[in-house]
Amino acid sequence: MNEGIKNKELLLAHMSSAFSLTDKEIEELIALFTERKIKRRGFVLHQGDVCRHFTFVVSGCLKMYAIDPAGKEYNLEFAAENEWVSDLFSFYSEKPTGIYIEAIEPSVILQITRQNLIYLYSNYPKFNSTFRIIIERKYIELQNRVLQNISATAEERYENFLDQFPALASRLPNTQIASYLGITSEFLSKIRKDLAQRR
Amino acid sequence: MNEGIKNKELLLAHMSSAFSLTDKEIEELIALFTERKIKRRGFVLHQGDVCRHFTFVVSGCLKMYAIDPAGKEYNLEFAAENEWVSDLFSFYSEKPTGIYIEAIEPSVILQITRQNLIYLYSNYPKFNSTFRIIIERKYIELQNRVLQNISATAEERYENFLDQFPALASRLPNTQIASYLGITSEFLSKIRKDLAQRR
DNA sequence: CTGAACCCTTAAGATATCTTAAGGGTATTT
DNA sequence: AAATACCCTTAAGATATCTTAAGGGTTCAG
């Protein structure tokens, strides 16, 4: 088996964890997703472009972020193995995006275009549920994050991040985590010191 | 035409704005949604219960919020006419919810149970897309909110709220808006004063 | 109609978080 | 292997936001 097919097996395993797939559905999935390798610091999506793909991460890690007029980055989302990422607004509206998706580590991704996704939706109704569930899960996660943002201190949000994403926490530089939490990296450093001293 | 049917027309108009519906689909929608009237301060969902319905607001306004151990409320979402609200986590997992949905104004809502929604999904595949799109739109909105929360000052977030939800802004008490923005109502008061003086 | 509950504002002092600056460590690129 | 870019930490002073307290206006329920 070549490596391309092997990478797609992770996608198939992921998709069939919610619904079992027929042979025909599997065949279509394999045909419609395109594999790409992204170097560290390579862009999957760049501000000003239209987001033309829904992306599944096979290996590595991506970050999705916005940049403010002063040039500061704000991390909206990390996507590591088995996770989906896309700027849904640009993807469906076909308007230029305001955000970036960039590889933090060398990564392998699988992508489907909007047209092919719509083709899947109309010809294999099951995929409507599959992608509805994918979005619903991401929605629940985002809602928890909003609740944290409006109710918890920076220290609480950091501890929650460690609990919720232990693997990411050990993989990512603290600067990236601080940007995700909405604090400066200097302040995260102080939080870490305080936590360490208290234990 | 009786009032119950009239209320459901708003739902039908809403649903068919994305996809046109067949007579049969319309008939099912009308049959599967139940109408309820909620008094001001009445609960649509209470912490500890399982969220058994997906709710569409016909008139009035609901708020969805969490309460922390100290008793403070944090508004996750407002839902006025033509909007959907539900605790998706509890709705799909059938686990007890940690949150509240409460009427801020006397409201009329239409609700569908999880079982009936699943029935709709399996028998009328179109509704998979409809609800997928509903969630996608809410996802995009939440993502913008997270970006605001991690990148903007309280004053910027307030001005953005006024821009994005002018109707809500004039309808809701400032205490509720402050809770949504993640600030105290005293601080919102100061922000409003500063903005007024600057203009 | 009236008391109770809620809402808005103001202000003073406390706390959380940011900014700037600097130094040393580590990883990446040349 | 050197040079560069990145990363982490510390600390001092600045700013944003919270807490508490108080007073007056408005709405709601009895």
Side-chain angles (χ1 to χ4, degrees):
Chain A
M1 186 185 337
N2 74 34
E3 197 192 331
I5 296 288
K6 211 189 314 174
N7 285 333
K8 290 188 178 177
E9 299 235 316
L10 188 63
L11 173 65
L12 293 177
H14 174 83
M15 295 291 268
S16 54
S17 71
F19 295 94
S20 62
L21 301 175
T22 65
D23 288 352
K24 183 68 184 155
E25 286 161 350
I26 290 175
E27 190 184 311
E28 291 276 20
L29 266 190
I30 290 188
L32 294 178
F33 275 84
T34 304
E35 182 179 323
R36 283 178 68 196
K37 289 186 209 298
I38 315 283
K39 281 191 244 185
R40 198 172 117 86
R41 278 174 225 198
F43 285 97
V44 175
L45 177 68
H46 194 283
Q47 181 266 342
D49 295 343
V50 169
C51 179
R52 304 216 173 271
H53 299 93
F54 210 94
T55 297
F56 176 79
V57 180
V58 173
S59 67
C61 186
L62 311 180
K63 64 173 172 177
M64 175 165 165
Y65 61 96
I67 300 190
D68 75 5
K72 265 190 216 157
E73 293 184 10
Y74 297 93
N75 282 337
L76 284 163
E77 186 179 346
F78 300 115
E81 297 82 10
N82 267 301
E83 292 184 310
W84 295 89
V85 64
S86 167
D87 176 11
L88 286 188
F89 172 73
S90 172
F91 184 70
Y92 284 113
S93 70
E94 300 186 90
K95 292 183 184 159
T97 182
I99 69 182
Y100 300 81
I101 301 177
E102 184 186 326
I104 299 183
E105 305 170 358
S107 303
V108 176
I109 63 180
L110 294 171
Q111 296 189 302
I112 187 169
T113 62
R114 185 176 140 277
Q115 281 160 336
N116 281 335
L117 187 57
I118 288 171
Y119 164 86
L120 265 192
Y121 285 156
S122 13
N123 292 279
Y124 304 87
K126 188 188 292 172
F127 287 116
N128 273 297
S129 322
T130 314
F131 282 90
R132 181 177 50 72
I133 289 171
I134 289 168
I135 299 293
E136 280 168 356
R137 288 186 184 151
K138 289 174 77 80
Y139 183 85
I140 291 167
E141 203 176 297
L142 259 197
Q143 186 170 273
N144 280 330
R145 187 163 168 210
V146 166
L147 178 56
Q148 288 272 316
N149 281 338
I150 65 178
S151 70
T153 65
E155 182 172 306
E156 289 164 345
R157 276 178 280 149
Y158 177 60
E159 292 201 283
N160 188 63
F161 183 86
L162 297 182
D163 282 353
Q164 204 183 350
F165 307 108
L168 279 182
S170 57
R171 231 166 128 176
L172 295 174
N174 288 326
T175 40
Q176 297 299 324
I177 297 175
S179 163
Y180 178 93
L181 296 175
I183 59 180
T184 60
S185 86
E186 293 86 351
F187 189 49
L188 176 55
S189 203
K190 177 184 191 323
I191 289 172
R192 287 161 53 79
K193 185 185 169 193
D194 293 349
L195 286 175
Q197 281 178 353
R198 224 177 301 153
R199 284 170 181 160
Chain B
M1 183 184 340
N2 75 33
E3 195 191 334
I5 296 287
K6 211 188 313 173
N7 286 332
K8 290 188 177 176
E9 298 234 316
L10 188 64
L11 173 65
L12 294 177
H14 174 83
M15 296 291 268
S16 55
S17 71
F19 295 94
S20 62
L21 301 176
T22 66
D23 287 353
K24 183 67 185 156
E25 286 161 349
I26 289 175
E27 189 185 311
E28 289 278 18
L29 267 190
I30 289 187
L32 294 177
F33 275 84
T34 305
E35 182 180 322
R36 281 178 68 196
K37 290 187 208 299
I38 315 284
K39 281 190 244 183
R40 199 171 118 86
R41 278 175 225 197
F43 284 98
V44 173
L45 178 68
H46 194 283
Q47 182 265 344
D49 296 342
V50 169
C51 179
R52 304 215 173 270
H53 300 91
F54 210 95
T55 297
F56 176 79
V57 180
V58 173
S59 66
C61 186
L62 311 180
K63 65 174 173 177
M64 175 164 164
Y65 62 97
I67 299 190
D68 75 4
K72 265 190 217 159
E73 294 184 10
Y74 297 94
N75 282 338
L76 284 163
E77 185 180 345
F78 299 114
E81 298 81 11
N82 267 301
E83 292 184 309
W84 294 89
V85 64
S86 168
D87 177 10
L88 285 188
F89 172 74
S90 173
F91 183 71
Y92 283 113
S93 70
E94 300 186 88
K95 291 183 184 157
T97 182
I99 69 181
Y100 300 81
I101 301 177
E102 183 186 326
I104 299 183
E105 306 170 357
S107 304
V108 176
I109 63 179
L110 294 171
Q111 296 189 303
I112 187 169
T113 63
R114 185 176 141 276
Q115 282 160 335
N116 282 335
L117 186 58
I118 289 171
Y119 165 86
L120 265 192
Y121 286 157
S122 9
N123 293 279
Y124 304 88
K126 186 187 294 172
F127 288 116
N128 272 298
S129 324
T130 315
F131 282 90
R132 182 177 49 72
I133 290 171
I134 289 168
I135 300 292
E136 280 169 356
R137 288 187 185 150
K138 288 173 77 82
Y139 183 86
I140 291 168
E141 202 175 298
L142 258 196
Q143 186 170 276
N144 280 330
R145 186 163 167 209
V146 166
L147 178 56
Q148 289 272 316
N149 282 338
I150 66 180
S151 71
T153 65
E155 181 173 306
E156 288 163 345
R157 275 162 13 224
Y158 176 61
E159 291 201 283
N160 189 62
F161 183 86
L162 296 182
D163 282 353
Q164 204 181 351
F165 307 109
L168 279 182
S170 57
R171 231 165 129 174
L172 295 173
N174 288 327
T175 41
Q176 297 300 323
I177 296 174
S179 163
Y180 178 94
L181 296 175
I183 60 178
T184 60
S185 85
E186 293 86 351
F187 190 50
L188 177 54
S189 202
K190 176 182 189 331
I191 288 171
R192 288 161 51 79
K193 185 183 167 194
D194 293 349
L195 286 175
Q197 281 177 353
R198 222 178 301 151
R199 283 169 182 162

